[in-house]
Amino acid sequence: MPPMKKITAFLQDPRKGDPLEIGNSHVERLAGVRWLDTHLVDFLLQRCLACLQLDANLLVPSSNASSIVEQMLRKTNIYRAPEKKSCRNMSMLYQYYALQPHRMVGCVCHGDHFYVVDVNFNAKEPGVFKTVKVYDSVRRPNTRRGGDTILRNTGIAHFLTNLQRFLLYFCFPESTNTNVRENELVSRATYAPCPFQENGSDCSLFAVITLLHVVGKVPLSDTTFCQNQITQLRHALHT
């Protein structure tokens, strides 16, 4: 592995960047039942996570990680020709994450929906990806076709597929690529229990609070908190 010039924040981890600011337009989105944007979600994550003692190997990407990954893959033509040489300059910034085990817990926005993804990976061990959990506040466990497995035609499957490509081509050594099956992340992923939202606008706040429970190692079930509490939280944040 070539020497690294610096360690770059993992997918624009909001904890590693400059303090984020929000304006009136962001605050007003908290009124009523409007969707929250990724900048406001990253602001909330940055402020809340600063108050917690977190594991050193924890990675918390920006809530805009899905778009960031797609842009990086598109720029390097990985969809058409996944050649490591074309990715060298960018991958040198990310190869630190292959040196030791890491856990990525992200509040990810894909399309118009937020969910939490929890991925443990270690590039030095066979299989690379250990556990993959998805927390989705619009999905009740075991009530849909496929049980708790991730169906491949869903938005979360699309993100996990792109995340795997990103990790393999930007973060991990070339030798790792031959040890990982196509769609390995999707195959390993399962839905985990989390509270269920009762409207179509609060997935972002459900995801933020779910992530704080997960990284804070607080037990989480479908009754840990409820829609009424999230509604009260939205009102408190607005005022």
Side-chain angles (χ1 to χ4, degrees):
M1 181 182 297
M4 295 174 294
K5 295 182 179 180
K6 66 175 182 177
I7 299 173
T8 192
F10 188 85
L11 295 177
Q12 300 180 18
D13 185 335
R15 300 173 302 156
K16 307 297 184 181
D18 295 331
L20 297 173
E21 301 293 339
I22 57 173
N24 290 335
S25 61
H26 295 104
V27 175
E28 286 308 310
R29 297 196 69 85
L30 290 162
V33 290
R34 301 174 68 185
W35 290 331
L36 307 189
D37 61 21
T38 55
H39 182 85
L40 179 53
V41 170
D42 281 356
F43 171 83
L44 293 173
L45 289 173
Q46 187 180 72
R47 294 300 179 91
C48 293
L49 292 171
C51 302
L52 300 179
Q53 288 188 333
L54 304 172
D55 293 338
N57 70 338
L58 178 68
L59 308 174
V60 182
S62 165
S63 60
N64 200 35
S66 181
S67 295
I68 296 170
V69 167
E70 287 187 355
Q71 291 171 9
M72 293 181 72
L73 294 176
R74 192 178 301 117
K75 287 179 180 178
T76 53
N77 293 321
I78 283 182
Y79 288 121
R80 297 189 295 273
E83 297 175 354
K84 194 69 173 180
K85 183 177 180 180
S86 68
C87 306
R88 184 173 298 154
N89 291 337
M90 296 178 73
S91 67
M92 286 180 64
L93 300 176
Y94 278 92
Q95 289 184 9
Y96 162 80
Y97 300 106
L99 299 179
Q100 56 187 327
H102 281 91
R103 182 187 186 189
M104 187 207 86
V105 183
C107 176
V108 178
C109 178
H110 184 85
D112 58 0
H113 184 53
F114 287 83
Y115 42 76
V116 174
V117 178
D118 183 355
V119 179
N120 284 272
F121 62 85
N122 185 351
K124 295 186 176 182
E125 291 188 2
V128 182
F129 303 114
K130 303 307 173 187
T131 59
V132 186
K133 296 180 181 179
V134 176
Y135 300 84
D136 188 346
S137 60
V138 300
R139 184 187 185 282
R140 295 188 184 276
N142 295 314
T143 61
R144 295 186 180 179
R145 182 170 58 88
D148 285 335
T149 59
I150 306 297
L151 300 180
R152 296 194 177 187
N153 61 345
T154 57
I156 180 58
H158 178 78
F159 170 70
L160 290 173
T161 298
N162 281 344
L163 178 64
Q164 177 171 321
R165 289 172 178 163
F166 164 77
L167 290 171
L168 291 180
Y169 292 113
F170 286 93
C171 303
F172 300 161
E174 292 182 10
S175 58
T176 304
N177 296 2
T178 60
N179 299 325
V180 180
R181 298 177 300 165
E182 185 77 12
N183 295 317
E184 179 75 12
L185 270 181
V186 177
S187 299
R188 287 184 175 271
T190 57
Y191 288 106
C194 66
F196 185 80
Q197 69 184 84
E198 297 176 8
N199 62 24
S201 58
D202 280 334
C203 58
S204 53
L205 289 177
F206 269 85
V208 168
I209 302 305
T210 294
L211 182 144
L212 294 176
H213 278 74
V214 172
V215 301
K217 301 179 182 178
V218 178
L220 189 67
S221 72
D222 57 356
T223 60
T224 303
F225 55 91
C226 65
Q227 178 65 63
N228 185 53
Q229 291 171 304
I230 294 297
T231 300
Q232 293 177 16
L233 172 63
R234 176 186 276 266
H235 178 72
L237 290 171
H238 180 252
T239 57

